Amino acid sequence: MDARPDHDDPRKLRDMLQKASSLASDYDLTSVMIGASGVAGDRLFAEMVDYIGSALRVDDSICRLTRERAVFLLADADQARAAEILERLMNGFRANFTPVRDPQVDLSFFEVTPDKADLTVRDVLPSLFDATAVSH
């Protein structure tokens, strides 16, 4: 049986958003919150999330909402750079673990910029998991 928890404490997401808001307001840095969702029951998605989480920089973070949903914070990156980083990490997962199939992953991005520094989870979460996500 898998000892990994299915989800993190919900306060972790709030703390991640607070960190991004602080970077934006205090240091004029843009950060990106990325919502990643997979297909219900897809164990490959959970493995990919683990891989990406282990490859993130010290200033970045991850919050598992469920086994099929996770939020990444990439600090000091805009949306284009965050997409490049995530694509590189996903390709690294595929190359290192040669899965039988690619995990189905939908990604949505939300930039936390200095002009949007005063945000709540309720402001951000709906944009991360809506119908306009980009499939990878």
Side-chain angles (χ1 to χ4, degrees), residues 44 81 97 112 130:
L44 197 52
R81 181 73 180 126
F97 296 100
V112 181
D130 67 3

Side-chain angles (χ1 to χ4, degrees), residues 80-102:
R81 181 73 180 126
E84 289 172 6
I85 292 168
L86 214 54
E87 189 64 32
R88 180 178 45 82
L89 294 175
M90 289 170 62
N91 287 337
F93 173 76
R94 291 177 188 112
N96 288 314
F97 296 100
T98 21
V100 175
R101 61 173 175 74
D102 281 346

Side-chain angles (χ1 to χ4, degrees), residues 2 7 12 15 19-21 27-28 36 46 52 67-68 70 74-75 84 96 99 107 109 112 114-115 128 130 133 136:
D2 194 357
H7 62 279
K12 185 173 183 180
D15 293 344
K19 177 181 178 177
S21 294
Y27 301 102
D28 201 32
I52 291 171
R67 279 189 79 67
E68 294 84 21
L74 297 185
E84 289 172 6
N96 288 314
L107 300 173
F109 300 82
V112 181
D115 61 319
L128 294 179
D130 67 3
H136 287 284

Side-chain angles (χ1 to χ4, degrees), residues 14-127:
R14 183 194 64 214
D15 293 344
M16 287 169 53
L17 183 56
Q18 186 175 16
K19 177 181 178 177
S21 294
S22 176
L23 288 169
S25 63
D26 297 347
Y27 301 102
D28 201 32
L29 295 176
T30 297
S31 297
V32 179
M33 306 286 288
I34 303 166
S37 56
V39 177
D42 184 0
R43 290 179 165 253
L44 197 52
F45 175 79
E47 295 299 323
M48 187 195 64
V49 169
D50 284 344
Y51 178 84
I52 291 171
S54 71
L56 292 176
R57 301 171 299 179
V58 173
D59 289 336
D60 301 330
S61 34
I62 180 175
C63 178
R64 292 177 178 280
L65 301 176
T66 66
R67 279 189 79 67
E68 294 84 21
R69 288 186 174 190
V71 175
F72 301 100
L73 167 64
L74 297 185
D76 193 15
D78 63 10
Q79 182 173 334
R81 181 73 180 126
E84 289 172 6
I85 292 168
L86 214 54
E87 189 64 32
R88 180 178 45 82
L89 294 175
M90 289 170 62
N91 287 337
F93 173 76
R94 291 177 188 112
N96 288 314
F97 296 100
T98 21
V100 175
R101 61 173 175 74
D102 281 346
Q104 181 180 338
V105 181
D106 292 328
L107 300 173
S108 294
F109 300 82
F110 187 95
E111 281 188 329
V112 181
T113 58
D115 61 319
K116 291 192 240 178
D118 190 26
L119 296 166
T120 67
V121 170
R122 287 184 184 179
D123 296 327
V124 175
L125 207 54
S127 343

